[in-house]
Amino acid sequence: MNRNATPSLSPTHPVRRALAVAAAVLVASMLIAACGGSSESGNGGGSGDAAAGTPTPGGTVTYGLEAENAGGWCLPEAQLAISGIQVARAIYDTLTAPDEHAVYQPYLAESVTPNDDFTQWTIVLRDGVTFHDGSPLDATVVKNNVDAWRGVYPGRIPLLFTFVYKPISAVDVVDAATVKVTTKTSWPSFPAYLFNDGRSGIIAQAQLDDPVSCDRKLIGTGPFQLVEWKPNDHLTAERNANYWQKDASGNQLPYLDQITFRPITDPTSRLNALLAGELNAMHEAGAEVLDQMRQDAEQGKIAVTATTDYTEVAYEMFNVSKPPFDNRDARLAAIYAIDREQLNEVRNLGLTKMASGPFAPGEIGYLEDTGYPSYSKKKAKEHLDAYTAATGKPLEFTLVGTPDPGTTKLLQFLQEQWKDSGITANIRTVEQAVLINTALSDDWNVIDWRNHPGGNPDAQYIWWKGGSTVNFNKFDDPEMNALLDAGRAEPDKEKAAGIYQDINRRFATEGYNLWLQWVEWSIGTAPDVHGVYGPDLPDGGKPFTDTSFLSVLMQC
């Protein structure tokens, strides 16, 4: 899903804006939070972990979000963009979690085991885990959560998850610690969906059954428990003293006493708040602010952790269910008219790599050359003329994005290039919290989006399958549908790679999206904040290295 709006619905990882920035900075300046322990500068050019030393319990962190999650965290029904996911990871745990190789390891689960044809999965839960309200994590509450995700639990009406978990035919309690999940088809990537970009945290029975405040009274098993949420201001969570995890040295997690999330929608204001000590950490993907963050890191003012591992792609998404982009010539005219290399230099300072499709380098399905159209005003005119001849209309549409300065400049750049080829784009901006609902509706032509992180290509199934609620493009392509079904059922990675490469080529041929760049995610932190990736997984694996998700198990 979209993590620009991530969501942020930002699948397999993911989802990436409603607050007055001045007010946010003012409030942050009155409630400055600081990490405990040493204030000496760490490695300014990296994560600061070189100076971390032995973790010292205590300290607080204030983390700058790029947007508020106005819809709350009733997880079966929530529409979480990247900011919502980051908060959810503090409150809730998932049954599985990815390691550094994007292999999904048991997390709340002790084991997740398939039968021979991957149509039945046995989930054994860890012993002794409790929710924040003291109730136990058991098979019944896990079954009820999974049933809520797939839309068969009374009182919960998921908008997005119903299609995600559609392959599940039955969920059964075997004993107090064991759940059996049966699927309608072979589903080798099922463990990835028990993580679902961090969206599928397990919520307590009391929250699941709350008919009024499920979105606000948060009860998880996670490292922090909710203290207070004031929308558009802050969400504060305190250390869960009964958390089930310890680090490799036997230290009780989490290290921090408290974490506070503050939505500051303007990236420059977020960075200024970090430099002023009003924030201890922030998340960013915009080139101009990333460039400034690197300069500040070189001077030792902050630490920066950046990566394109398992990254997602930024793009302009066409609504193919209505004019003008139900017409392939219209889509190709719009694609050929954009000089993406010039866009990269002007808008991204040449710091990013332009995308050839939805799968980034290193991912299953990646192709350096997918046959995607390159900039050509001549070909843009040919397709524009074909569109006009078929419809009798000029090519005009509305381009939707968020109002933050970086996105606004991008939309204006695209608008000018389209105008130069005789194409009219009218810009409309909506806040991030509204962007996902806009995509779910039919009230748009082109929308600025960010999605498709790596690690498990089957996670893209829900975004591209015909008839899916979250197929925001709204195409129903028989060839694409067949490829997606084949990829989902294929356990052999080499064979699966060929299937997803064909999907990559199909996108290039049909022009469903205007691909921009593969996203470089960065976490900026105060020099005394360490452990951006968090400690090892409970069974010893190294943590996932996608910095779109800041670990809440970091340390001062």
Side-chain angles (χ1 to χ4, degrees), residues 52 98 172 198-199 303 546:
D172 298 299
R199 294 187 177 93
D546 176 357

Side-chain angles (χ1 to χ4, degrees), residues 215-294:
D215 60 334
R216 303 185 301 279
K217 294 184 178 179
L218 316 184
I219 313 170
T221 63
F224 296 91
Q225 53 194 48
L226 180 68
V227 174
E228 179 181 56
W229 178 34
K230 291 189 175 181
N232 299 325
D233 187 343
H234 70 276
L235 184 148
T236 299
E238 65 184 6
R239 183 176 186 266
N240 174 11
N242 298 313
Y243 191 49
W244 58 277
Q245 278 206 76
K246 294 183 179 180
D247 69 13
S249 300
N251 298 306
Q252 179 65 47
L253 296 173
Y255 303 120
L256 300 176
D257 290 330
Q258 181 177 287
I259 186 166
T260 297
F261 297 94
R262 294 191 176 282
I264 303 176
T265 59
D266 178 68
T268 301
S269 296
R270 272 201 311 279
L271 177 56
N272 288 340
L274 177 63
L275 292 168
E278 297 160 3
L279 297 176
N280 307 106
M282 63 171 282
H283 172 252
E284 184 53 46
E288 292 179 352
V289 174
L290 292 183
D291 187 51
Q292 184 60 53
M293 287 170 66
R294 289 191 179 97

Side-chain angles (χ1 to χ4, degrees), residues 211-428:
V212 177
S213 51
C214 178
D215 60 334
R216 303 185 301 279
K217 294 184 178 179
L218 316 184
I219 313 170
T221 63
F224 296 91
Q225 53 194 48
L226 180 68
V227 174
E228 179 181 56
W229 178 34
K230 291 189 175 181
N232 299 325
D233 187 343
H234 70 276
L235 184 148
T236 299
E238 65 184 6
R239 183 176 186 266
N240 174 11
N242 298 313
Y243 191 49
W244 58 277
Q245 278 206 76
K246 294 183 179 180
D247 69 13
S249 300
N251 298 306
Q252 179 65 47
L253 296 173
Y255 303 120
L256 300 176
D257 290 330
Q258 181 177 287
I259 186 166
T260 297
F261 297 94
R262 294 191 176 282
I264 303 176
T265 59
D266 178 68
T268 301
S269 296
R270 272 201 311 279
L271 177 56
N272 288 340
L274 177 63
L275 292 168
E278 297 160 3
L279 297 176
N280 307 106
M282 63 171 282
H283 172 252
E284 184 53 46
E288 292 179 352
V289 174
L290 292 183
D291 187 51
Q292 184 60 53
M293 287 170 66
R294 289 191 179 97
Q295 296 178 44
D296 293 330
E298 289 174 359
Q299 299 173 33
K301 297 177 182 178
I302 61 174
V304 173
T305 302
T307 184
T308 55
D309 289 354
Y310 308 109
T311 192
E312 55 193 5
V313 63
Y315 59 102
E316 304 306 313
M317 181 165 59
F318 298 126
N319 180 352
V320 306
S321 70
K322 57 185 283 189
F325 294 115
D326 57 348
N327 182 295
R328 181 172 174 270
D329 283 309
R331 301 194 298 269
L332 292 177
I335 292 171
Y336 275 118
I338 299 300
D339 186 340
R340 298 187 308 139
E341 295 303 326
Q342 182 183 0
L343 183 151
N344 193 33
E345 291 298 323
V346 173
R347 293 299 321 129
N348 302 330
L349 307 179
L351 299 175
T352 60
K353 185 176 180 180
M354 299 310 285
S356 61
F359 304 118
E363 294 297 327
I364 292 177
Y366 167 74
L367 287 169
E368 184 174 356
D369 182 8
T370 63
Y372 189 73
S374 57
Y375 173 62
S376 170
K377 288 186 69 174
K378 178 181 178 182
K379 290 186 177 180
K381 185 178 186 305
E382 290 174 0
H383 286 285
L384 182 60
D385 289 345
Y387 169 78
T388 302
T391 66
K393 297 178 181 179
L395 181 50
E396 181 173 0
F397 54 87
T398 299
L399 172 62
V400 181
T402 53
D404 59 276
T407 300
T408 299
K409 291 177 182 178
L410 168 64
L411 302 184
Q412 291 170 343
F413 180 95
L414 295 171
Q415 182 185 49
E416 286 301 313
Q417 287 221 327
W418 277 321
K419 181 180 180 181
D420 193 44
S421 289
I423 300 169
T424 301
N426 303 300
I427 294 173
R428 175 162 65 97

Side-chain angles (χ1 to χ4, degrees), residues 40-51:
E40 296 178 3
S41 175
N43 178 6
S47 68
D49 285 352

Side-chain angles (χ1 to χ4, degrees), residues 25 95 361 385 454 526:
V25 174
L95 291 166
D385 289 345

Side-chain angles (χ1 to χ4, degrees), residues 461-513:
Y461 187 100
I462 59 173
W463 314 117
W464 303 332
K465 180 70 172 180
S468 167
T469 303
V470 293
N471 180 336
F472 297 120
N473 289 95
K474 301 173 176 60
F475 56 72
D476 192 352
D477 181 331
E479 182 174 331
M480 183 78 78
N481 292 340
L483 289 168
L484 289 167
D485 286 336
R488 163 156 285 183
E490 181 54 67
D492 184 281
K493 287 191 175 181
E494 286 192 16
K495 292 179 180 178
I499 293 169
Y500 289 108
Q501 287 169 1
D502 286 343
I503 286 174
N504 211 340
R505 296 185 184 98
R506 185 68 177 172
F507 269 108
T509 300
E510 295 303 307
Y512 291 133
N513 296 314

